[in-house]
Amino acid sequence: MQSPPARRLRSSVAALTAVALGSAALFTAAVIGTATPARAAGVPTLSPLNVSGRGATVPFKEQEAEYAVTNGSVVGPDRLYGHLPSEASGRQAVTLGSVGQYVEFTLTAPANSIDFRYSLPDTADGKGRDASLDLLVNGSKLKSVDVTSKYSWYYGGYPFNNNPGDTNPHHFFDETRTMFGTSYPAGTKIRLQVSSVAQSPSFTIDLADFEQVGAPVGKPAGAIDVVSDFGADPTGATDSTARFQAAVNAGQSQGRTVYIPQGTFTLYDHVVVDGVTLAGAGPWYSVLGGRDPNNRAKAAGVYGKYVGQGGPSQNVTLKDFAVIGDIRERVDEDQVNAVGGAMSNSTLDNLWLQHTKVGAWMDGPMDRFTVKNSRILDQTADGVNFHTGVTNSTVTNTFVRNTGDDGLASWPERVPNVNDSFTHNTVVLPILANNIVTYGGKDFTISDNVMSDTISNGGGLHIANRYPGVNSGSGTAVAGTITAARNTLIRTGNSDFNWQFGVGAIWFDGLNEPIAGATINITDTDILDSSYEAVQTIDGASSGINFTNVNIDGAGTYAIQAQANANMRFTNVKARNIAQAATPIHNCVGSGFVIVDGGGNSGWNNGTTCSGNWPTPQWTYGGQPSTGGGTSSPSPSPSTPTTPPASPSPSPTTPTTPPVCVPGTGNLAQGKTATATSANQTYTAANAVDGNAASYWESANNAFPQSITVDLCAVTAVGSVTAKLPSGWEKRTETVTVQGSADGVSFSTLAPSAGITLDPATGNTATVGFARTDTRYVRVTVTGNTGWPAAQLSELEIRAPGSTTPPTTPPATANLLAGRSLSATSTADVYGAGKANDGDASSYWESAANAFPQSLTGDLGASTAVGRLVLKLPPATAWATRTETLSVLASTDGATWTTVKGPAGYTFDPATGNTVTVSVPGTSARYLRLSFTGNTGWPAAQLSEFEAYTS
């Protein structure tokens, strides 16, 4: 079988300074303690799995070690290449360095398995070490789990080596999985604990993915069984390559599915498939692996026939199994990929691909090839590469982590790649190069993906005329329409160790020839907490680029770094939290770099520089300033020890105090001066009166009582205070006392000490009412918090007696439910009720499946006249037409309900915006309820927006 040509990086500008193995420079640590358990002090960051409506839908619940309970040491946050935490998810992890140290997770949903990501130190000879960790359940040891560094630690220049004496250590992490043997409920404590340091002096834990693995898939009727029919060895003791090949040949000739039962099967070479379905019992049960002990260039893999050797293969389906290989180095000439060759009209579905060179390197020409619902982990090179003449093909709903090169790539070397797509994927932690890239290509769609944590020499999204064979003469250059829509990029881009400067989160490169004649549309995209610049041009000119409805929130250096001529159009592109805010554009190419202002822009167009020096990046970590040195310190808490705040973007900066203090109306506290007994880092009292429920005040930890005081500017009549927390935080009770003072010295009690429950089901909002009091200063004292050992408030609203939030007579054009509390009878996964009135039509609430009836209830705050309801589903065409059967009920007290619209079917059609209107004239109610009894598109209730209007 032919091998693809080796890929090469650009030549180095300068070699990196050698980094000694085991040097303290590899990580920075914040020691939490070794004697008593504590919650890890991880800096809250946005998870790539917590972006509504984008990325892959995964079957597991992910928990970060830095938010768990531990007596180990937090390392990071740090993004400097060659430092251990820089390759951790969110750029921080927990190191366990002595017997008895542990990380303990609490299950948030039932699970019977764990897959955890970890790092062990390398050995002096570079061959790696084997060790084990104890797995405890509710304090009792369940089993020991083997871990190894043999698939980690690379050195030197591309394509790298295993010599610790060389420079440039990287690729530190690996992951392993195990099943518990039974299912444990939510609330169960799962602990990874050090039992010995004899085999490894330390263990660094990044994260754990907990999954409820279903029962094995049984053999399909009439299928060929590779074990019972052809004698394959399910113990893995002997090579089963020939037996597998005989089975798939028989399956092709007889038109029968070939079934892989439970077992671990050793293959010393490829199994070549054509016109056959190869199906397993599930990726946790049917596992292919192995490598020829005498010829290390031969290893387990499932390949189509190459063009020129009878290929491409046709009508192949590979599903429900794993390929977990034994590839420990990168040799580009070796065909040691999990899936390869050429396949047309073929599908990979629910595969787990790990420890191979590339998950799927597909060499065309080939057509209509799909990868879906799969996991690609711990590769030495790419996750997927569409190489040479791959057309009408897609990767969708696939999770990719820890690749050694591009996560998802298209490279039309010599032969055009046309009409391909990468959609609804989550691509995390490519150790080298880009999360997603198209080198050339025509009419390519890259949409609804999440890309996070680029490590080096690449960005989140890359569109380029680079690499051999990419040129307009061959028809392989960037051409047609490139659509990049509804993507989220988190902590992407990083320093290029060849160039010695930052690479953009989104970057364009015309190295082989200018990008010209194509239309490139970047739309409805969030570029968050970029490590360096958000947008970059380099090497050769680029044109035809349109940025529309783009949110740039957080950039370590610039919003835009122009190192090559370009012609772009920006419309509604808003930037904030840019480190070089005074000069957010770095342009040393002059007038050849042009941005046409389409209107609605801000934050990036107020200054330009050409300094000749590259500034040290300032990383925001979700809006909180951090220097580029990667130092670590105790930090504000996430909402729970396992779930960091789910804000869609970094928090805005705290507003300054108005120059003149004027008594307010409505929320009397908003914009006023607030002081507190203490604050944790930048989580200051001002955050509680800024009108932004996503920012918050947090006091010092473990130091109750704590108080926050608001100056209303003058003695004012008050009758209630309302406390809020960010909508993504989980339920907790804070014990509070409310006091007032006319002079700021003598305080009297307005409301005695009591617990207030802040529950996301009711908007994480609680109100404390009291008798009318004339006061200037209002103080809330917190003496306890069941969710975190500190006082926490995102908003402290103070109102006059009898006022509501907001006034009950909004304009007829206002959505009465905007910002109001929604609750539901059930929710599926992360699709909570609050997503149905967050103003984002792409997010949505979904109930439990196969459990009608289900209801969604909105609280208007007070009895209000309602004339019509507007109901929405996401407008994307991926949401096909469906009819939901529902009725509308109303109540003044939340207890007694009246049907105002009987059961009827309402059709949501993408051709009409997936929107329906329900008239409810003459209705006066505080509470509105939608009761769902059917959905032709999915066996659950679904709604992206629930809106109510007076007329």
Side-chain angles (χ1 to χ4, degrees), residues 763-860:
N764 264 340
T765 299
T767 298
V768 179
F770 43 82
R772 173 190 168 121
T773 302
D774 293 330
T775 188
R776 173 170 175 169
Y777 300 90
V778 175
R779 175 175 292 168
V780 174
T781 299
V782 182
T783 57
N785 182 349
T786 62
W788 194 256
Q792 295 171 313
L793 287 175
S794 68
E795 287 298 300
L796 176 58
E797 298 180 354
I798 302 170
R799 299 189 180 275
S803 68
T804 57
T805 313
T808 58
T809 56
T813 56
N815 172 18
L816 306 174
L817 281 170
R820 293 294 186 175
S821 172
L822 296 185
S823 59
T825 46
S826 68
T827 60
D829 200 29
V830 298
Y831 305 106
K835 296 184 183 299
N837 73 335
D838 60 2
D840 178 8
S842 64
S843 68
Y844 60 98
W845 162 68
E846 181 175 301
S847 74
N850 300 301
F852 289 116
Q854 297 287 339
S855 66
L856 182 67
T857 302
D859 181 0
L860 298 172

Side-chain angles (χ1 to χ4, degrees), residues 689-738:
V689 291
D690 63 358
N692 175 17
S695 67
Y696 60 95
W697 163 63
E698 180 175 291
S699 73
N701 287 193
N702 301 300
F704 291 118
Q706 296 287 339
S707 66
I708 182 171
T709 303
V710 180
D711 179 1
L712 302 179
C713 300
V715 173
T716 307
V718 297
S720 68
V721 298
T722 297
K724 296 183 177 181
L725 287 179
S727 61
W729 290 23
E730 295 193 4
K731 182 177 178 180
R732 66 200 63 202
T733 297
E734 298 194 49
T735 303
V736 303
T737 302
V738 183

Side-chain angles (χ1 to χ4, degrees), residues 552-620:
I552 300 172
D553 200 335
T557 55
Y558 302 100
I560 301 163
Q561 186 167 303
Q563 295 171 270
N565 291 342
N567 193 298
M568 303 179 176
R569 182 181 181 88
F570 278 24
T571 304
N572 197 30
V573 176
K574 301 182 186 300
R576 62 178 183 173
N577 293 324
I578 307 302
Q580 302 299 315
T583 54
I585 298 179
H586 188 282
N587 177 11
C588 289
V589 301
S591 61
F593 181 79
V594 176
I595 296 180
V596 176
D597 190 336
N601 300 303
S602 64
W604 57 266
N605 49 1
N606 57 304
T608 301
T609 187
C610 176
S611 65
N613 297 310
W614 300 112
T616 300
Q618 301 293 313
W619 298 318
T620 62

